[in-house]
Amino acid sequence: MNPSARLLALHVFRHNPRDTASSPRLVIYQLEETPGMTLFIALSRIRETLDPGLNFDFVCRAGVCGSCAMLINGRPGLACRTLTAELPNQINLFPLPGFELIADLSVNTGKWMRGMSERLQAWLHLREEADVDAVEARMEPELAESIYELDRCIECGCCIAGCGSAQMRTDFVGAVGMIKLARFRLDPRDARNAADFFDLIGDDSGVFGCMSLLACQDVCPKQLPLQSQIAYLRRSMARQALNGLPPA
Ligand code: SF4
Ligand code: F3S
Ligand code: FES
């Protein structure tokens, strides 16, 4: 025991909805803070030394897979990228709201993301039959850079958990859905036109359901330009809806 080390109190939500004997509760774990400790390290230490039954998700431990997202003192974030040194002694951990609870801090973001992707057809619709022998057409570096920027989404679910619209409307595709379509709309290889994109997100489950609450951009761990992309999509689709004009 290091006498100068902080003693952390992690108040962790526990519940397994598949266990009829389980009921939602908070369990308090006390843990000595060590230098460079992340929440992922703290939770792993709890699981190794105090409670092997604690459920939480992780894969990469490097902010790449998006699986360790949770509510950290009320704010969505990645456990593996959050230093305990940035937090007070009492740390409250809850599963991300808006997703099916698997158990404790583990939620099924994969099921939600898959449903959203299928609904929005969030994949490249090639203009012509792909010819594997053909050299891919050159793309301007600035355009490739813009597409790459939007491709950095790790589907962590933080933008859904932080969004009031997403919490009120289960069919709202959220910032993650809108940014995916913005990405394909930019891509010159995608065969879909403005009307096709309008059909996919030109309603209250898409751009017109967004109330500009801005939390999505605040909590996105990849600092994606969600606001500017959503604003662009909304302007463009409002123009189409109101005036029958082609989107800008
Ligand atoms: Fe996570 Fe950001 Fe992608 Fe939302 S847009 S899922 S917050 S990386
Ligand atoms: Fe939600 Fe972001 Fe819009 S928080 S309401 S998607 S600006
Ligand atoms: Fe992959 Fe945290 S474990 S993002």
Side-chain angles (χ1 to χ4, degrees), residues 14 25 37 53 62 74 83 99 125 158 172 177-178 191 194 199-200 205-208 211 214-215 227 244:
R14 302 292 314 270
R25 63 203 185 279
M37 179 181 254
L83 291 167
F99 299 97
H125 293 230
C158 288
F172 184 55
M178 290 187 268
D199 286 345
L200 290 166
S205 69
V207 289
F208 301 125
M211 300 185 290
L214 308 182
Q227 274 323 295

Side-chain angles (χ1 to χ4, degrees), residues 97-99 112-113 157-164 166-167 172-177 216 219:
F99 299 97
W112 192 98
M113 294 291 168
C158 288
C159 59
I160 298 299
C163 171
Q167 299 305 313
F172 184 55
V173 300
V176 57
C216 52
V219 300

Side-chain angles (χ1 to χ4, degrees), residues 153-159 176 220-222 224 226:
C153 172
I154 55 173
E155 299 191 352
C156 62
C158 288
C159 59
V176 57
C220 176
K222 305 310 278 186
L224 293 176
L226 301 175

Side-chain angles (χ1 to χ4, degrees), residues 92-148:
N92 303 320
L93 299 179
F94 283 81
L96 282 190
F99 299 97
E100 178 188 314
L101 179 67
I102 296 175
D104 305 335
L105 301 173
S106 172
V107 293
N108 200 342
T109 47
K111 182 177 172 187
W112 192 98
M113 294 291 168
R114 184 182 174 119
M116 175 273 292
S117 292
E118 286 177 350
R119 198 170 118 219
L120 297 184
Q121 301 174 34
W123 55 84
L124 196 59
H125 293 230
L126 284 175
R127 285 191 179 280
E128 51 223 43
E129 277 307 306
D131 177 357
V132 287
D133 296 324
V135 177
E136 199 171 352
R138 184 179 180 281
M139 189 184 287
E140 288 304 322
E142 296 75 25
L143 179 57
E145 191 63 37
S146 308
I147 293 172
Y148 171 73

Side-chain angles (χ1 to χ4, degrees), residues 192-232:
R192 289 172 287 186
N193 60 27
D196 296 327
F197 287 114
F198 185 89
D199 286 345
L200 290 166
I201 53 165
D203 62 12
D204 285 352
S205 69
V207 289
F208 301 125
C210 167
M211 300 185 290
S212 300
L213 298 173
L214 308 182
C216 52
Q217 180 143 334
D218 280 352
V219 300
C220 176
K222 305 310 278 186
Q223 286 91 43
L224 293 176
L226 301 175
Q227 274 323 295
S228 55
Q229 288 299 325
I230 293 172
Y232 169 71

